[in-house]
């Protein structure tokens, strides 16, 4: 009888702790989603130059019971306080910009002590106005990160020389690596120092 009662008390306590942990995780998820969406909204408003979308957000819909809960995340666009799923309703440039902004916001929200940021072809399908806006926002991000990380590194792989030139003028890098073919068609890497730095 003693062992039975002890097991009942232990199971009751475990159930209470499990519920408390579940509530704490849900609260943390809600707070982080609010922080993430705030960052995404700010970055979108300061970067996107089109007039058809006011801002974007990530929505998380949960399914299943508390024991088997899963989340479906989707990106929505907001215009005049009306929410529409972005999937299938936006241009290639908007998709690229959304992808970059969501990744930057995730890095900002969850990788506070991360000293490196890498982007591969971030200007693909963007028009010139949005490319210029992205370059200026990346410059601000680098300056902000440099305040907390003395050895912060931004790595961008791109064919867009105008984008690189904009970053060079904003003095966000000490040097750039230029990869090209020499006269014998061998790949060659030249380190180009930024004269402004």
């Amino acid at each position: 009888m003693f062992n039975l009662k002890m097991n009942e008390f232990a199971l009751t306590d475990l159930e209470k702790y499990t519920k408390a942990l579940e509530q704490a995780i849900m609260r943390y998820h809600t707070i982080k989603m609010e922080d993430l969406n705030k960052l995404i909204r700010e970055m979108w408003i300061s970067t996107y130059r089109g007039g058809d979308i006011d801002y974007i957000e990530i929505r998380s819909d949960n399914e299943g019971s508390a024991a088997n809960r899963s989340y479906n995340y989707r990106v929505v666009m907001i215009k005049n306080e009306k929410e529409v799923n972005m999937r299938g309703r936006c241009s290639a440039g908007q998709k690229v910009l959304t992808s970059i902004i969501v990744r930057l916001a995730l890095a900002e929200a969850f990788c506070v002590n991360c000293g490196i940021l890498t982007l591969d072809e971030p200007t693909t399908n963007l028009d010139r106005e949005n490319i210029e806006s992205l370059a200026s926002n990346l410059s601000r991000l680098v300056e902000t990160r440099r305040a907390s990380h003395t050895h912060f590194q931004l790595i961008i792989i791109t064919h867009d020389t105008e984008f690189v030139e904009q970053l060079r003028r904003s003095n966000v890098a000490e040097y750039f690596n230029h990869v090209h073919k020499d006269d014998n068609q061998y790949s060659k890497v030249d380190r180009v120092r930024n004269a402004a730095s």
Side-chain angles (χ1 to χ4, degrees):
M1 188 64 164
F2 177 76
N3 286 339
L4 179 64
K5 284 296 181 186
M6 289 299 292
N7 286 338
E8 285 177 2
F9 290 144
L11 289 173
T12 303
D13 285 348
L14 282 174
E15 190 175 330
K16 286 179 189 175
Y17 297 145
T18 302
K19 285 180 182 174
L21 180 60
E22 174 72 21
Q23 289 173 349
I25 290 171
M26 292 303 300
R27 181 68 188 135
Y28 178 76
H29 180 267
T30 302
I31 290 168
K32 287 316 259 183
M33 287 303 297
E34 288 170 1
D35 292 346
L36 185 62
N37 278 325
K38 181 179 177 216
L39 289 166
I40 290 171
R41 181 182 300 141
E42 289 169 358
M43 288 182 193
W44 184 268
I45 289 170
S46 67
T47 305
Y48 185 61
R49 294 296 169 240
D52 55 334
I53 302 172
D54 293 337
Y55 59 92
I56 61 172
E57 287 187 350
I58 295 178
R59 293 286 185 257
S60 63
D61 306 318
N62 55 26
E63 297 177 346
S65 64
N68 276 338
R69 182 167 290 147
S70 65
Y71 291 92
N72 293 319
Y73 295 94
R74 57 191 169 89
V75 179
V76 297
M77 50 189 176
I78 316 292
K79 178 66 178 176
N80 298 328
E81 301 301 320
K82 302 243 186 317
E83 178 182 305
V84 178
N85 279 338
M86 216 168 179
R87 187 181 200 114
R89 292 186 176 92
C90 58
S91 69
Q94 289 168 333
K95 287 178 189 174
V96 168
L97 193 58
T98 297
S99 174
I100 291 169
I101 287 175
V102 167
R103 287 181 173 128
L104 290 172
L106 284 166
E108 195 70 22
F110 293 100
C111 303
V112 177
N113 295 319
C114 182
I116 189 168
L117 175 63
T118 305
L119 298 172
D120 183 16
E121 296 292 353
T123 60
T124 302
N125 294 321
L126 294 183
D127 60 20
R128 189 55 39 200
E129 194 176 13
N130 282 310
I131 289 171
E132 291 170 5
S133 183
L134 177 62
S136 95
N137 275 321
L138 277 175
S139 299
R140 280 197 300 275
L141 180 75
V142 168
E143 290 302 319
T144 303
R145 286 290 178 98
R146 279 184 180 162
S148 59
H149 298 287
T150 56
H151 299 292
F152 178 75
Q153 294 183 25
L154 172 65
I155 299 170
I156 297 178
I157 300 161
T158 185
H159 291 94
D160 190 338
T161 54
E162 289 180 39
F163 180 67
V164 172
E165 181 60 24
Q166 284 180 280
L167 292 173
R168 188 196 64 75
R169 283 194 307 266
S170 65
N171 198 23
V172 297
E174 295 175 22
Y175 62 87
F176 299 89
N177 288 322
H178 179 242
V179 181
H180 60 95
K181 300 252 185 206
D182 66 11
D183 294 338
N184 297 320
Q185 296 301 308
Y186 293 113
S187 294
K188 186 176 179 190
V189 180
D190 292 329
R191 179 172 280 193
V192 180
R193 276 205 95 49
N194 188 358
S197 61

